[in-house]
Amino acid sequence: MPPSMPWHHLIDAAQQQVDDAARALAEAINRHTAAQQQLDMLDAYRAEYQAALGSYSESGVSITRLNNHRQFIDKLDTAIRQQQDVVHQAQLQVSHYQREWQAQHRKLKSFDTLANRERQRESARHAKQEQHLLDEQAAQRFHHSRSKST
């Protein structure tokens, strides 16, 4: 690439992609957290109803009420399975966006590395030019002083 390559434009674009990927990852994490909290709530609710079912059995509740309670627990079980699927899908999205963020971050680091190498080459070239000028000036002074002494 030519020394005048506008690395800052590439780095800015790559940084924007990293930022976008980070935002998408944060949103996916938030969705996963919310889904997990909802699953935890359903699990707790089911545990309460299961405990109540046990106390109903001991207290001699009507068969109809006992069957209604069991049916409700079955519906909770169905909701829990569905919510487990939602949590699983949310975790898959988190994993996807983590990989995307990592890829964008690696790309940014690569551009940074290439830009740093270019700056180092430019600095070395500039130092070499300066040294060459200093050497020429020293040689001219040496020749000038020798020609005066003869």
Side-chain angles (χ1 to χ4, degrees):
M1 295 201 167
S4 62
M5 183 66 181
W7 288 108
H8 63 280
H9 292 303
L10 289 173
I11 291 170
D12 288 347
Q15 183 63 57
Q16 183 62 46
Q17 290 172 336
V18 167
D19 294 346
D20 292 346
R23 273 189 290 282
L25 175 58
E27 290 170 9
I29 289 170
N30 288 338
R31 285 190 301 272
H32 178 264
T33 301
Q36 184 63 52
Q37 288 171 344
Q38 188 170 0
L39 176 59
D40 293 343
M41 182 190 69
L42 287 169
D43 283 335
Y45 200 45
R46 188 202 185 283
E48 287 177 32
Y49 265 81
Q50 188 65 41
L53 181 63
S55 67
Y56 287 161
S57 300
E58 294 170 3
S59 65
V61 179
S62 72
I63 295 293
T64 305
R65 188 165 182 186
L66 197 56
N67 283 338
N68 287 343
H69 203 79
R70 283 188 181 137
Q71 287 175 351
F72 185 71
I73 289 175
D74 288 343
K75 288 181 182 180
L76 279 174
D77 287 341
T78 300
I80 287 170
R81 282 190 298 278
Q82 290 172 346
Q83 191 61 28
Q84 286 170 335
D85 289 343
V86 169
V87 169
H88 178 71
Q89 289 301 315
Q91 181 57 49
L92 291 176
Q93 281 193 332
V94 167
S95 297
H96 166 77
Y97 286 115
Q98 281 175 331
R99 288 188 304 274
E100 180 63 24
W101 177 83
Q102 289 168 340
Q104 295 302 330
H105 194 260
R106 279 192 303 274
K107 184 169 128 180
L108 174 62
K109 288 186 78 72
S110 295
F111 286 153
D112 277 338
T113 298
L114 291 171
N116 285 334
R117 286 180 188 163
E118 184 63 34
R119 281 191 291 276
Q120 289 171 351
R121 280 194 293 272
E122 187 61 28
S123 292
R125 188 183 63 76
H126 183 68
K128 190 174 181 179
Q129 284 177 338
E130 281 187 23
Q131 185 61 47
H132 181 71
L133 287 174
L134 290 174
D135 290 348
E136 281 184 12
Q137 289 173 353
Q140 287 174 358
R141 281 194 303 270
F142 176 75
H143 289 301
H144 183 69
S145 68
R146 282 189 81 190
S147 63
K148 281 187 175 179
S149 63
T150 51

